[in-house]
Amino acid sequence: MTGPEASSPAATGGDSDVDVVIVGAGIAGMYAVHRLRGDGLTLQAFEAGADVGGTWHHNRYPGARCDVESVDYSYSFSDELQQEWDWSERYATQPEILRYLHHVADRFDLRRSIAFHTRVTAAHYDENANLWTVTTDAGTTTTCRFCVFASGSLSAVNYPDIPGRESFAGTVLHTAAWPHEGVDLTGRRVGVIGTGSSGIQLVPEVAREAAHVTVFQRTPNYSIPAANRPTDDDERRAQKAGYAERRRKSRLSGGGSPFVPHDKNTLEVDDAERERVYEHYWTLGGVLFSKAFPDQMRNEDANALARDFAERKIRAVVDDPAVADELIPTDHPIGTKRIVTDSGYFQTYNRDNVDLVNLRRTPIERITPSGIDTADPGGGTTMRDLDVLIFATGFDAVTGAMDRIDIRGSGGLTIHDAWADGVQSYLGLQVAGFPNLFTVNGPGSPGVLANMVLTSEDHVDWIAGTIGHLRSKGLESIEPDPEAEQAWMQRCGQLAAQTLFPRADSWYMGANIPGKPRVFMLYSAGFGKYREELAEITDAGYKGFQLR
């Protein structure tokens, strides 16, 4: 074990090294360290990376930028922190977000409770002692009363299983594991596999540097200009003066930012008004376009009008109509896959040094030492020579980070087996059969559908309050009733069925991971509504939980 904070005895009796083990030191894990340590609990956090930051520590690819406005994608727990930090841009880049998180770690002295370069490999529950034993790749073991998995919704890196992948003789990169020292692509032939968020943000930057870029696209995605701009002193002063109201509105909203849809449905306004509303939300940038009208994510006819607007915008900036055809999605309603926020992505295909390969029509046959072979429609293959191969293929989202750890609860039940037929969770906070194990932004919560800084704070605050409740009542454990868990996941499924989300083969559904059960893994009724339901359950004496 590595140096826990020694400020109190174990929470509820029994012999343990610490009260709490926290897995992960990204945004959620950092706040968990601060909040739980402040409550007088002894704790130890483990982080596989070299420093704090989670996804913003690892995802250093050129062009990486948040799609939530900087002023909202920031901690709210300390007004002093809000007042002292100055954001330079409307949508912060990865380096600025990481500087902010380092500042938070310094300001609140978080690193002394975190073991870096240390990956948790197992967490096993002892029913007799009511303790968890957490094992790391360093060979250390730590016993604790409570485990908090703040391991991230987008942290388990996904490499597609392509024949010959290990044979490539050039440089192989993944956007989610980008070298910290950077990569010089000047004059090199670069292949990019994937056109999700990371690929769409990466390609314009690479194209300005590389001799040639070949983009291998399986599924086109909707992307909207970030409309980014510097933040001036007057705007910053206004933001800081209005933080309290901004946070209040954000916590009542669907997505954790103070933006709300138009007050009428799509077909309740005339063409001119609808165009004006679309233009307004397009200018706001990125994911906010999904909020143009309140029925846009529920009504197929309404969504079709939004798709038409987006298609016209794409065609207006792509010179070759045939290339525009390839770039415009036809297989999912707009917003059912996370809308990307970009900086000149579609315009990049006007460059002479950029080619687009449609993998639906000409799939990859194999990766070779010198490049990629794709199948020709009429038979045969085409060899594409490359010096650098970049996988922009995302993550095993929401559940992947935990599923890759040997987690065993009551009776030796593994988390993998618990989720074998589809993910199960109560409120995104706990899983039946795993007492005193908490998840932050777990399946069954709004998670990645909302501003994850505020959702992380809310979950950690609930976990801290729950541990405090157990201690004050002399109780030792909490876990969900299996029936309540099942009912909650059924509710999440019913809510999703009222939307267009299940119409897309998205990573929200686990569709990017072969063999992963297809279940919409999130609570889709909005952040504000979720907070109401969580409060009602808690105020009713932790309805649906077993407290012992």
Side-chain angles (χ1 to χ4, degrees):
M1 190 189 71
T2 306
E5 291 302 298
S7 57
S8 77
T12 52
D15 295 324
S16 64
D17 293 326
V18 290
D19 296 326
V20 186
V21 162
I22 298 166
V23 183
I27 285 171
M30 290 172 63
Y31 180 55
V33 169
H34 173 72
R35 173 62 203 270
L36 296 173
R37 203 170 64 184
D39 284 357
L41 294 165
T42 61
L43 62 87
Q44 178 64 58
F46 295 105
E47 167 56 47
D51 207 338
V52 298
T55 190
W56 299 109
H57 175 79
H58 295 289
N59 287 253
R60 297 172 180 241
Y61 61 86
R65 186 185 298 275
C66 189
D67 60 3
V68 177
E69 289 194 45
S70 311
V71 65
D72 298 311
Y73 195 79
S74 57
Y75 290 115
S76 68
F77 70 84
S78 166
D79 191 55
E80 291 81 3
L81 175 62
Q82 292 183 143
Q83 297 301 319
E84 72 193 18
W85 184 263
D86 292 332
W87 292 104
S88 69
E89 294 182 279
R90 186 172 174 225
Y91 291 100
T93 59
Q94 177 271 334
E96 184 168 17
I97 295 170
L98 193 58
R99 285 196 300 273
Y100 169 73
L101 296 176
H102 285 179
H103 170 76
V104 174
D106 292 339
R107 194 188 194 287
F108 298 99
D109 191 21
L110 302 182
R111 291 185 182 88
R112 64 184 167 90
S113 299
I114 306 168
F116 296 107
H117 297 292
T118 308
R119 182 178 298 277
V120 169
T121 57
H124 293 177
Y125 179 63
D126 182 335
E127 295 175 68
N128 294 323
N130 186 33
L131 292 174
W132 285 90
T133 298
V134 177
T135 304
T136 72
D137 59 358
T140 63
T141 59
T142 305
T143 58
C144 59
R145 183 71 60 200
F146 305 99
C147 275
V148 176
F149 275 81
S151 45
S153 298
L154 299 173
S155 59
V157 178
N158 175 45
Y159 282 94
D161 186 14
I162 300 173
R165 195 186 79 198
E166 304 297 331
S167 72
F168 185 65
T171 302
V172 178
L173 303 167
H174 196 293
T175 49
W178 202 261
H180 290 195
E181 65 275 13
V183 182
D184 184 4
L185 300 175
T186 304
R188 307 186 79 183
R189 299 166 299 177
V190 179
V192 179
I193 299 178
T195 52
S197 180
S198 56
I200 285 173
Q201 291 184 334
L202 170 81
V203 165
E205 300 296 324
V206 172
R208 284 191 278 271
E209 186 178 346
H212 192 273
V213 180
T214 304
V215 180
F216 297 89
Q217 172 190 272
R218 185 181 63 179
T219 306
N221 274 294
Y222 289 105
S223 185
I224 294 176
N228 196 38
R229 52 174 169 72
T231 304
D232 61 29
D233 290 340
D234 289 342
E235 186 175 9
R236 274 192 289 268
R237 278 192 291 269
Q239 288 172 346
K240 291 180 180 183
Y243 250 129
E245 179 64 6
R246 190 176 186 104
R247 300 299 196 182
R248 186 189 71 81
K249 289 181 177 178
S250 295
R251 286 193 160 92
L252 293 173
S253 72
S257 64
F259 299 98
V260 296
H262 191 63
D263 59 0
K264 294 181 180 179
N265 285 330
T266 303
L267 299 176
E268 293 176 344
V269 301
D270 60 26
D271 292 349
E273 175 69 0
R274 189 161 51 246
E275 195 80 1
R276 185 194 67 77
V277 173
Y278 284 150
E279 192 67 44
H280 170 69
Y281 279 89
W282 189 272
T283 302
L284 285 176
V287 295
L288 294 175
F289 186 73
S290 293
K291 302 181 185 302
F293 289 98
D295 60 343
Q296 194 165 299
M297 293 300 296
R298 300 193 310 270
N299 183 297
E300 192 166 353
D301 292 335
N303 191 277
L305 291 169
R307 289 176 70 176
D308 175 71
F309 180 87
E311 179 176 336
R312 285 185 276 124
K313 287 290 190 180
I314 294 169
R315 291 193 183 281
V317 298
V318 179
D319 294 342
D320 187 338
V323 174
D325 287 342
E326 303 281 12
L327 291 168
I328 293 170
T330 60
D331 66 341
H332 65 277
I334 188 168
T336 55
K337 292 186 176 182
R338 190 172 181 89
I339 296 176
V340 183
T341 299
D342 75 85
S343 299
Y345 172 69
F346 293 111
Q347 294 90 329
T348 300
Y349 291 94
N350 298 329
R351 298 177 63 104
D352 292 336
N353 69 327
V354 178
D355 286 334
L356 180 66
V357 177
N358 184 336
L359 297 182
R360 298 288 186 187
R361 190 168 57 250
T362 59
I364 293 175
E365 286 275 305
R366 69 187 64 82
I367 296 173
T368 72
S370 60
I372 291 180
D373 274 346
T374 57
D376 297 332
T381 61
T382 297
M383 179 64 194
R384 303 176 189 277
D385 292 324
L386 303 170
D387 304 308
V388 180
L389 180 56
I390 301 175
F391 289 94
T393 47
F395 305 90
D396 183 353
V398 184
T399 61
M402 291 184 66
D403 201 21
R404 297 181 184 190
I405 298 172
D406 178 15
I407 301 173
R408 302 184 190 184
S410 300
L413 176 68
T414 68
I415 200 76
H416 182 78
D417 286 343
W419 290 344
D421 296 324
V423 66
Q424 295 292 315
S425 169
Y426 190 39
L427 298 158
L429 283 161
Q430 282 203 293
V431 180
F434 298 84
N436 291 347
L437 185 147
F438 300 99
T439 57
V440 183
N441 294 312
S445 75
V448 291
L449 296 180
N451 173 2
M452 293 189 72
V453 181
L454 296 192
T455 63
S456 295
E457 286 183 325
D458 271 25
H459 267 194
V460 169
D461 286 342
W462 185 90
I463 292 166
T466 298
I467 292 174
H469 176 78
L470 294 176
R471 298 174 85 198
S472 70
K473 300 296 184 182
L475 299 170
E476 292 198 350
S477 71
I478 181 171
E479 67 173 302
D481 287 318
E483 296 81 6
E485 177 183 76
Q486 185 178 20
W488 180 256
M489 295 311 296
Q490 287 174 346
R491 171 158 172 72
C492 289
Q494 291 164 355
L495 290 171
Q498 297 169 17
T499 74
L500 300 174
F501 279 116
R503 293 280 306 278
D505 283 334
S506 67
W507 54 259
Y508 298 149
M509 299 282 293
N512 63 322
I513 304 298
K516 189 169 184 176
R518 300 293 180 89
V519 177
F520 190 78
M521 295 184 283
L522 303 164
Y523 176 94
S524 58
F527 181 40
K529 180 63 177 174
Y530 171 84
R531 296 182 76 246
E532 290 179 11
E533 294 207 49
L534 178 58
E536 289 172 3
I537 287 168
T538 307
D539 293 345
Y542 289 89
K543 182 180 178 182
F545 288 97
Q546 300 173 4
L547 282 71
R548 302 185 182 91

